[in-house]
Amino acid sequence: MLYESTRGDKTRIPAAQAIVKGLATDRGLYTPSFIPTLSDEEIVTIATSDYKDVAKLVFSKFLTDFSADEIDACIKGAYENTFDTPEIAPLQQLDDNTSILELWHGPTCAFKDVALQALPYLLTTSMKITGESNKIAIIVATSGDTGKAALEGFKDVEGTSIVVMYPSEGVSLVQKQQMITQQGENVNVIAIKGNFDDAQTAAKNIFTNPDLEQQLLDKEIKLSSANSINWGRLLPQIVYYIKSSLDIETDKLIDYVVPTGNFGNILAGYYAKKMGAPIGKLICASNSNNVLTDFIKTGVYDRRREFVKTLSPSMDILISSNLERFLFELSDHDSDLIDSLMNKLDLQGYYEIPQQLKLKMQGLLEAEYCTDQQTQEAIKQCWDKYNYLLDTHTAVAYNVHQMNKSDNPTIIVSTASPFKFPQGVYTALNGEVDLTEYQILKELSNFTKWDIPAPIKDLENIPVLHNTVCDKKEIVDTIIGVIN
Ligand SMILES: *Cc1c(COP(=O)(O)O)cnc(C)c1O
């Protein structure tokens, strides 16, 4: 299996190289040259397999340059004793037709752990395969959850260092505290005065600067990415779609409602469907930063709009990077088209896709969005009706699900523990209160009788280790300073 850039660089490279590199030199994203399918026999087998065995099969189809032992070791490292349940991604049934896929049982309580527990193993194995002798510096832009998950995954991993930049005003207190208390010899955390899009753009600029690349190579440092622009982030996410689609007993296809920001999670669902998993519609749920809702309905992607801070900060994104991979796939790898669309997005701030592509997209995806008020109503409604506590991101999906007319069984993808966003969740249940966020955390647990997950419980007592703040214009220089 070889990987190619979405933007026209015709060099095809094996998985290990794509994972080490992160982003292609032409700013494109590495994408599999074809999507492998599951045979009927394989589907029958994995229908009764556990999570790790499904992961082994899926990984082996995409990582053909890894040995079976190497794949086994990656999966063992990623999923053995790192999640608080051996199921890794348990399904909770709400009613006959609706289930919740809980993806937040990992060490940082968000779905990013599913991929970021695996990525360090995938990366170090890839470095072994490609004979990489340089040190790898991982640059991460985060809207809140990726940062901590990447820090946990990469802390003290030999041959690597990691720099995380987060929007100083754009994350929840729990998210921020999780990052600035991070321990490890090879970690750096920087607050930026900007939003996620600024951070992601700065990261892409750093990756595609040839002078900088040479300057770092002279010091035996290579850059890579732990954002979902790295193929190693997407691959592990395909597994839980396949696994959960086979776990629901039904003859019908299963619809998924996915709370979406950078389009990585929902893209993994699309790959799972293409591989042959019994998946129906993929429903893209957005918050008030509803650039994707508009795009899926009209075919026009227009980022020229106000950036809104919402109760679901991990989805406060206007430039959804992985849409590029989806359009590449949908257009049968028309890299000229993708290159021109992405240039238009950079230069003019919008693009429109051809009519035929739009119709093809609309056959696969649906999209709706919801406001903060609707998000909080969804949390209250779900609690009152099912005694089930949603976080503010999953609540966006829950609300959007109410608008879905299909009678297929539906899985709502749950991306974070409610205790990561205690303020928004508690207020939804009980209205505004005059308490600190840590007090609210405890109140939320008292009120719901749900336990605060261990990784969040004692956060307020852990010493702060990182307090660098930098201006939007200084991001690139600050990062380079830190790496050097
Ligand atoms: C990252 C994140 C999302 C958005 O996922 P994408 O892959 O960027 O679409 C949704 N919810 C939570 C809690 C997240 O951390």
Side-chain angles (χ1 to χ4, degrees), residues 110-112 143 145-146 228 237 259-266 314-315 317 391 393 415-416 421:
F111 91 95
K112 306 295 199 294
S143 60
D145 290 324
T146 299
S228 52
Q237 298 183 5
T260 306
N262 220 0
F263 208 78
N265 199 353
I266 194 167
S314 303
M315 292 154 60
I317 291 175
D391 92 288
H393 303 74
T415 49
F421 307 93

Side-chain angles (χ1 to χ4, degrees), residues 437-455:
E437 202 160 335
Y438 288 118
Q439 289 169 328
I440 291 178
L441 190 62
K442 286 175 197 136
E443 276 309 304
L444 184 61
S445 172
N446 291 339
F447 179 76
T448 57
K449 309 274 183 296
W450 280 34
D451 291 335
I452 304 174

Side-chain angles (χ1 to χ4, degrees), residues 49-102:
S49 300
D50 73 1
Y51 192 91
K52 283 190 278 181
D53 284 337
V54 180
K56 266 180 215 172
L57 179 70
V58 175
F59 280 31
S60 69
K61 299 223 170 227
F62 286 98
L63 305 176
T64 49
D65 47 338
F66 284 48
S67 72
D69 284 348
E70 284 167 339
I71 290 178
D72 279 4
C74 287
I75 287 166
K76 192 162 174 233
Y79 301 123
E80 211 158 276
N81 304 322
T82 49
F83 283 63
D84 68 12
T85 160
E87 288 179 87
I88 310 298
L91 277 167
Q92 303 288 348
Q93 197 169 0
L94 285 189
D95 60 32
D96 285 350
N97 229 13
T98 318
S99 300
I100 302 254
L101 179 62
E102 292 180 346

Side-chain angles (χ1 to χ4, degrees), residues 6-208:
T6 47
R7 298 206 189 171
D9 181 343
K10 296 282 184 262
T11 336
R12 292 180 166 194
I13 55 175
Q17 281 182 35
I19 291 170
V20 171
K21 233 176 143 199
L23 189 68
T25 315
D26 61 359
R27 274 178 100 89
L29 307 183
Y30 283 115
T31 303
S33 51
F34 68 97
I35 304 299
T37 49
L38 298 164
S39 67
D40 293 346
E41 215 182 340
E42 284 170 330
I43 290 195
V44 170
T45 308
I46 57 174
T48 54
S49 300
D50 73 1
Y51 192 91
K52 283 190 278 181
D53 284 337
V54 180
K56 266 180 215 172
L57 179 70
V58 175
F59 280 31
S60 69
K61 299 223 170 227
F62 286 98
L63 305 176
T64 49
D65 47 338
F66 284 48
S67 72
D69 284 348
E70 284 167 339
I71 290 178
D72 279 4
C74 287
I75 287 166
K76 192 162 174 233
Y79 301 123
E80 211 158 276
N81 304 322
T82 49
F83 283 63
D84 68 12
T85 160
E87 288 179 87
I88 310 298
L91 277 167
Q92 303 288 348
Q93 197 169 0
L94 285 189
D95 60 32
D96 285 350
N97 229 13
T98 318
S99 300
I100 302 254
L101 179 62
E102 292 180 346
L103 298 178
W104 37 264
H105 288 270
T108 75
C109 308
F111 91 95
K112 306 295 199 294
D113 287 324
V114 181
L116 281 162
Q117 282 297 303
L119 186 64
Y121 293 96
L122 293 174
L123 181 69
T124 46
T125 310
S126 295
M127 287 164 70
K128 210 179 81 199
I129 293 171
T130 59
E132 184 63 60
S133 56
N134 297 297
K135 205 173 146 188
I136 301 283
I138 312 274
I139 314 274
V140 181
T142 183
S143 60
D145 290 324
T146 299
K148 179 62 180 181
L151 289 163
E152 272 301 308
F154 280 100
K155 70 164 179 225
D156 296 328
V157 171
E158 210 171 312
T160 71
S161 66
I162 174 165
V163 189
V164 166
M165 43 184 158
Y166 71 92
S168 61
E169 305 300 324
V171 299
S172 82
L173 180 70
V174 171
Q175 288 179 314
K176 178 173 171 176
Q177 200 67 15
Q178 278 185 311
M179 289 188 278
I180 61 180
T181 56
Q182 179 66 45
Q183 302 183 345
E185 290 297 317
N186 63 341
V187 305
N188 278 287
V189 180
I190 296 168
I192 60 158
K193 291 186 187 152
N195 60 37
F196 171 76
D197 293 320
D198 299 320
Q200 180 161 257
T201 304
K204 283 190 179 174
N205 288 339
I206 292 171
F207 289 132
T208 49

